[in-house]
Amino acid sequence: LPQLKVLILACQIDLRDITPVGSLKDLEYLELFKNDVHDISCLANCKNLIDLHIGQCNISDVSPLFELKTLARLWLPGNPVSEADVQALRDAMPGSAVRQALEKIEFNPEGKLIVVSTGKAGWEMARAAVEVLGDRIDTGVVVTKYDHCKGELKPLELYEAGHPVPDENSYKATARALEVVSGLTEKDSVLFLLSGGGSALFEKPLVKPELLQQITEILLRGGAEITEINTIRKRLSGVKGGRFAAHCAPAKIEAVI
């Protein structure tokens, strides 16, 4: 079951201990509606969780959920949790984080505005940007994991690609992103939205693509931490380590991570 992506444990009245759920590293959707669950600390290990339904349980401590950087949709009604904690969680979610950041960012009205969004929450973050900026956006590219696009986000181009191992669609989407930020001027702006998984989804290898994939697979099988994997991949990439920002120059780049 380690690769399970969807788990529904609704209306299991006697269910209290969900510790085994913490071993489901690829879990993306979890429903625990109407259970007797008190402790959700194990969910901090479910780093790929996107949708979480835990209404009508007995949860008062939601602090483990702050570890879930890809969490995009959360339902918590009927739990003894403070409204302040719920609001803090919602503010930390990808879409809310983008909206808050955009309140403090000013773009040159005389130049173009390009949006590039990548990661497992890439679509969610891009949607927030489109909702806030609307027609101000000239064009852009979204690169997210397979089955993570939830609909069109005009005028942005949507791509789905491989994660955790980059694939041909990762390279194709990244190449397109590099195209749309080419030839910009100092009046133009690039809004770069980055979420978990972006290191695999957004990639231009400086070595043969097959070699990069092999290296990634070896590191994953060996239990390497994501920081260790990215340290190596950065040296083999044409867009990491500040190289994407350099490609956008002389345009102004604003990043929301």
Side-chain angles (χ1 to χ4, degrees):
L1 294 176
Q3 296 180 330
L4 193 68
K5 293 186 177 182
V6 176
L7 180 61
I8 299 175
L9 295 171
C11 302
Q12 304 291 322
I13 298 174
D14 297 328
L15 179 63
R16 291 179 62 92
D17 184 8
I18 62 168
T19 302
V21 175
S23 65
L24 303 177
K25 307 298 185 182
D26 292 336
L27 194 64
E28 296 179 356
Y29 180 101
L30 175 61
E31 187 171 325
L32 292 170
F33 188 71
K34 285 188 178 180
N35 292 301
D36 193 28
V37 176
H38 293 70
D39 183 5
I40 58 171
S41 57
C42 66
L43 297 186
N45 297 319
C46 300
K47 303 297 186 183
N48 291 310
L49 203 58
I50 297 173
D51 291 87
L52 180 59
H53 301 243
I54 47 177
Q56 296 186 35
C57 293
N58 287 300
I59 299 163
S60 59
D61 179 13
V62 294
S63 59
L65 302 185
F66 285 98
E67 300 296 322
L68 306 180
K69 305 306 181 184
T70 60
L71 190 64
R73 288 171 289 276
L74 173 66
W75 287 265
L76 273 171
N79 285 286
V81 57
S82 73
E83 185 59 35
D85 286 344
V86 174
Q87 189 58 50
L89 268 174
R90 298 196 185 284
D91 288 345
M93 291 167 67
S96 295
V98 171
R99 292 183 183 90
Q100 291 178 46
L102 289 177
E103 292 177 357
K104 304 173 184 177
I105 298 175
E106 293 185 5
F107 301 104
N108 189 334
E110 297 181 3
K112 298 178 183 177
L113 175 55
I114 314 297
V115 174
V116 177
S117 182
T118 184
K120 288 176 287 185
W123 186 90
E124 295 284 351
M125 296 179 79
R127 180 178 67 170
V130 169
E131 289 174 352
V132 173
L133 298 170
D135 294 339
R136 180 66 185 84
I137 299 173
D138 289 276
T139 187
V141 171
V142 178
V143 192
T144 190
K145 188 177 178 180
Y146 291 117
D147 300 320
H148 280 49
C149 285
K150 307 300 181 183
E152 292 187 351
L153 292 175
K154 293 188 178 299
L156 307 182
E157 301 175 25
L158 307 183
Y159 293 84
E160 294 183 330
H163 177 276
V165 179
D167 62 9
E168 190 59 36
N169 285 331
S170 305
Y171 313 141
K172 177 182 176 181
T174 305
R176 179 56 183 151
L178 290 171
E179 285 181 11
V180 301
V181 300
S182 295
L184 299 179
T185 71
E186 59 187 13
K187 292 183 178 181
D188 301 323
S189 302
V190 176
L191 176 61
F192 186 53
L193 309 175
L194 179 63
S195 57
S199 58
L201 295 162
F202 195 69
E203 187 58 276
K204 179 186 178 182
L206 298 178
V207 297
K208 290 183 177 180
E210 298 82 2
L211 177 58
L212 180 61
Q213 291 170 337
Q214 290 173 4
I215 291 172
T216 303
E217 289 170 347
I218 291 171
L219 291 169
L220 289 169
R221 286 198 301 267
E225 296 291 335
I226 187 60
T227 52
E228 296 171 323
I229 295 174
N230 285 342
T231 297
I232 294 174
R233 287 201 293 208
K234 181 169 64 175
R235 288 162 173 75
L236 307 174
S237 173
V239 289
K240 295 180 176 61
R243 296 184 182 96
F244 178 67
H247 192 87
C248 296
K252 177 184 178 182
I253 185 166
E254 296 283 358
V256 179
I257 301 173

